[in-house]
């Protein structure tokens, strides 16, 4: 699941996080997995709160895409969350995530992960 979250002032909420597989710190959108018994929307709201401390009042389902249809069965669910206000992060053990705010314009150029770029692209019609 991938979430483009916007503050009340319209700024994008980004996360800076180390990704062991790639060996880099990347700038991206909130993302994560859907837990058992949880809907993708519920996961988006939960991950946003946990990773950033932010919560919003307007969740837009942007649809889903295959993560890698060549050899995987999982999908990425894309969401836009508007009207976010800051709270307190609730990180998992070992997680270190820095939160940054950025302009939505040209955001796609800053996102390194393809599914985050797709979330930004799909959300543009709702901005």
């Amino acid at each position: 699941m991938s979430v483009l979250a916007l503050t009340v002032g319209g700024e994008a909420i980004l996360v800076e996080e180390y990704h062991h597989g790639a060996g880099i710190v990347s700038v991206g959108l909130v993302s994560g997995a859907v837990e058992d018994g949880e809907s993708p929307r519920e996961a988006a709201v939960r991950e946003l709160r946990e990773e950033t401390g932010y919560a919003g009042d307007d969740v837009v389902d942007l649809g889903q895409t295959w993560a890698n249809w060549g050899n995987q069965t999982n999908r990425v669910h894309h969401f836009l969350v508007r009207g976010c206000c800051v709270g307190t992060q609730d990180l998992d053990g070992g997680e270190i995530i820095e939160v940054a705010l950025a302009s939505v314009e040209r955001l796609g150029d800053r996102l390194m992960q393809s599914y985050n770029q797709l979330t930004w692209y799909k959300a543009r019609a709702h901005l």
Side-chain angles (χ1 to χ4, degrees):
M1 163 272 323
S2 176
V3 180
L4 172 56
L6 303 177
T7 65
V8 172
E11 292 179 291
I13 302 166
L14 302 178
V15 293
E16 297 177 8
E17 182 178 14
Y18 176 74
H19 295 277
H20 185 69
I24 61 168
V25 174
S26 71
V27 174
L29 302 179
V30 169
S31 57
V34 178
E35 295 180 356
D36 288 339
E38 184 178 50
S39 73
R41 182 186 188 286
E42 290 168 334
V45 170
R46 176 185 50 77
E47 288 286 353
L48 175 61
R49 184 187 48 77
E50 288 176 357
E51 290 186 6
T52 69
Y54 280 85
D57 58 5
D58 183 17
V59 180
V60 180
D61 186 337
L62 301 171
Q64 57 185 299
T65 56
W66 294 99
N68 178 354
W69 63 13
N71 60 9
Q72 296 177 356
T73 61
N74 61 315
R75 297 182 188 199
V76 177
H77 297 266
H78 305 273
F79 292 91
L80 169 65
V81 181
R82 297 181 283 213
C84 293
C85 295
V86 70
T88 304
Q89 279 180 312
D90 184 19
L91 299 174
D92 293 334
E95 261 186 330
I96 300 172
I97 298 176
E98 296 293 325
V99 178
L101 301 179
S103 169
V104 175
E105 296 175 18
R106 302 194 50 90
L107 182 61
D109 295 338
R110 294 191 62 193
L111 301 173
M112 299 175 71
Q113 182 55 260
S114 59
Y115 61 80
N116 285 173
Q117 292 170 343
L118 185 53
T119 302
W120 170 78
Y121 181 78
K122 291 168 80 63
R124 289 175 38 191
H126 302 274
L127 302 177

